Amino acid sequence: MALFDDMLAQEITMLVQQQQQELATALGEQGFLADDLRLLIQVANGECSRSIEMVSQVEAALARVVKVLTGNALHLQAQLPDAFWKTEIGILLSRTRWWISVDDLITISNAAALAFGENTQANRMRIVRAMDKGVLEWVPDPSVVNPQQNKRVLRPQVERLRDQRSLPE
C-alpha cells in the first residue's frame, strides 16, 4: 500500500509550484522585492517623511518582504529566529517596523499589565509564550542592547487578544 497517492502528490506539487511562482514574481525583472527593499532602506536611513500614505506604502512593502522571507509552500506561519534580528536585513526590518509603529510598540511588562491588569512574572511569561507561539508579533528595540529586554509587541495586537481572551495560559 502506497503511503502517498497521486492526488496528494498533485496537491503537494501545486503548493510548491505556487510558492515558486510567488518567489519568481518577487524576484523577477518586474518583481517588487528590489523596490520594496529600496523603500525600507530609505525609511531606515531617515530619508522619508511620515504621512498616512507613506506609512501605508511602507507597511505594505514590509509585509511583502517578510512574506518572501517567511513564506513556505505549506502556508504555515514561520517565525524569524532571534538571531535573524542581528543580521543586516533583520536590523533593516526592525527599524522599519519602529518607523511604522513607534507609538504602538510596548514592552513585555506593559503588555502584561494591559492584557491581565497587572505586571507580574506569571503575566509576563504568558506574553512571552504568546510571542513564542507566534500569537503576538514582536520586534527588537534597536536602542536596547540586552536581548532579554529589547523585545516589543504591538499594543493593538495585545488589546485584540485581551478582548478575545485568547492569550495562552
Side-chain angles (χ1 to χ4, degrees):
M1 173 184 271
L3 185 59
F4 297 104
D5 61 15
D6 288 338
M7 197 160 151
L8 181 60
Q10 287 176 337
E11 186 177 331
I12 292 170
T13 301
M14 285 180 16
L15 287 171
V16 171
Q17 286 174 336
Q18 179 183 357
Q19 182 66 20
Q20 181 183 15
Q21 182 60 44
E22 288 178 15
L23 286 173
T25 300
L27 300 172
E29 285 184 29
Q30 302 300 316
F32 58 82
L33 189 60
D35 292 337
D36 285 348
L37 287 170
R38 274 197 242 14
L39 178 59
L40 300 185
I41 289 168
Q42 289 173 339
V43 166
N45 287 336
E47 299 170 6
C48 294
S49 299
R50 285 183 66 86
S51 69
I52 293 171
E53 181 180 325
M54 182 56 77
V55 169
S56 179
Q57 286 178 347
V58 172
E59 198 160 24
L62 179 62
R64 287 189 297 266
V65 169
V66 169
K67 184 177 180 187
V68 168
L69 290 172
T70 61
N72 59 69
L74 299 177
H75 301 286
L76 299 174
Q77 183 176 355
Q79 289 246 294
L80 296 167
D82 288 358
F84 167 81
W85 298 104
K86 294 180 177 123
T87 66
E88 288 185 23
I89 185 73
I91 293 167
L92 173 67
L93 297 185
S94 173
R95 288 181 185 215
T96 303
R97 173 49 66 192
W98 273 90
W99 185 86
I100 292 169
S101 306
V102 68
D103 295 332
D104 286 329
L105 289 168
I106 59 175
T107 64
I108 293 171
S109 296
N110 289 341
L114 178 62
F116 307 112
E118 60 182 325
N119 173 20
T120 65
Q121 177 67 22
N123 289 341
R124 287 191 301 274
M125 291 308 299
R126 289 173 72 185
I127 295 296
V128 169
R129 280 192 296 278
M131 293 164 51
D132 291 344
K133 291 179 179 181
V135 175
L136 287 174
E137 294 176 43
W138 67 272
V139 290
D141 181 342
S143 68
V144 179
V145 177
N146 184 339
Q148 298 300 319
Q149 298 174 350
N150 76 346
K151 294 180 180 178
R152 303 293 184 263
V153 294
L154 289 165
R155 177 190 313 273
Q157 284 185 352
V158 174
E159 290 170 342
R160 186 181 70 250
L161 292 172
R162 174 201 62 201
D163 294 345
Q164 294 173 346
R165 305 231 189 282
S166 59
L167 282 163
E169 288 296 326

